[in-house]
Amino acid sequence: GSIRDGLIHINRSLISFYTDSYLGLSNGLSNPTVLCLYQDKTSDMIWIGTDGEGVNKFDPHTSKFEHYSSTFKKKVVSIAEYSESKLAISVYGDGIYMFDKNTGNIQPMHIADTTMQYQIRFSGRSINLLNEADGDILMYSNAIYRYDKSTGKCTRIISEDPESSHSNFQTIGHSEEGVWLHDNF
């Protein structure tokens, strides 16, 4: 994904650029600024979060896009798998939603922690999502929370570095040992 230049698809013999098109058309993105990408493990579909025009789906086999009207006007900053039929999407300054991959409908995700709810809505920071091996979801910006899907509870992961609360964490990788985060501080 790129900023203002859309999606770039590279294979061994060809490079294709997909920029924005009119909402509802299948030949391009709903917005040329790509904020996040998530490749579906079961179908190879690529789910794309855009800067203000919501979620798009790209089928790499047909090179067709699908735009989802339920997410229009939403700045989707992060996407993670929630279940086989649902994604968790983080919308800047708004909330975290459950997105149904089959219908395209969204509904607010149940988060029992009021501190996390406040951070999502009013911190002015993007909340990133990352799937963990056990099925839980990490939610993080300047603080890191583990979201338990079975209870809706968030548990804050305490950092040993007191300066970390000033940072905005970004994922740089993960392995069997854990998740590697980078801060911008």
Side-chain angles (χ1 to χ4, degrees):
S2 69
I3 298 173
R4 294 189 235 5
D5 288 327
L7 185 68
I8 303 166
H9 180 213
I10 301 170
N11 64 31
R12 292 178 188 222
S13 61
L14 172 66
I15 297 176
S16 301
F17 293 85
Y18 300 97
T19 59
D20 56 331
S21 70
Y22 292 107
L23 293 175
L25 294 181
S26 64
N27 62 337
L29 292 161
S30 61
N31 183 296
T33 300
V34 174
L35 298 178
C36 63
L37 300 167
Y38 174 78
Q39 186 165 13
D40 201 304
K41 294 176 184 157
T42 57
S43 69
D44 290 334
M45 297 298 160
I46 299 173
W47 298 92
I48 304 163
T50 67
D51 188 13
E53 292 300 339
V55 174
N56 289 201
K57 177 176 71 174
F58 176 69
D59 183 337
H61 304 291
T62 64
S63 297
K64 298 290 182 191
F65 289 83
E66 189 169 346
H67 309 153
Y68 293 91
S69 61
S70 64
T71 63
F72 289 171
K73 305 296 180 204
K74 296 199 178 300
K75 186 175 189 171
V76 179
V77 296
S78 192
I79 300 172
E81 180 180 292
Y82 188 83
S83 68
E84 192 173 307
S85 64
K86 293 186 180 180
L87 299 172
I89 63 171
S90 175
V91 177
Y92 178 78
D94 187 17
I96 298 176
Y97 293 87
M98 301 300 298
F99 174 85
D100 188 307
K101 295 190 278 187
N102 299 316
T103 66
N105 293 330
I106 62 171
Q107 63 184 21
M109 187 172 178
H110 172 68
I111 298 175
D113 187 287
T114 55
T115 304
M116 185 60 180
Q117 289 174 359
Y118 182 85
Q119 175 144 350
I120 292 166
R121 302 274 325 245
F122 304 112
S123 72
R125 297 174 186 247
S126 297
I127 306 298
N128 295 302
L129 307 174
L130 180 71
N131 292 105
E132 290 194 288
D134 64 0
D136 289 342
I137 297 174
L138 288 183
M139 298 178 173
Y140 56 94
S141 63
N142 66 324
I144 305 167
Y145 289 84
R146 178 171 287 118
Y147 176 79
D148 183 329
K149 291 191 302 188
S150 64
T151 64
K153 263 185 90 173
C154 287
T155 305
R156 185 170 179 167
I157 298 172
I158 305 299
S159 170
E160 295 176 13
D161 180 6
E163 296 295 322
S164 69
S165 64
H166 304 295
S167 303
N168 238 19
F169 291 110
Q170 299 291 322
T171 306
I172 57 172
H174 51 91
S175 68
E176 292 176 6
E177 296 173 358
V179 177
W180 300 91
L181 300 173
H182 168 71
D183 66 24
N184 295 326
F185 185 64

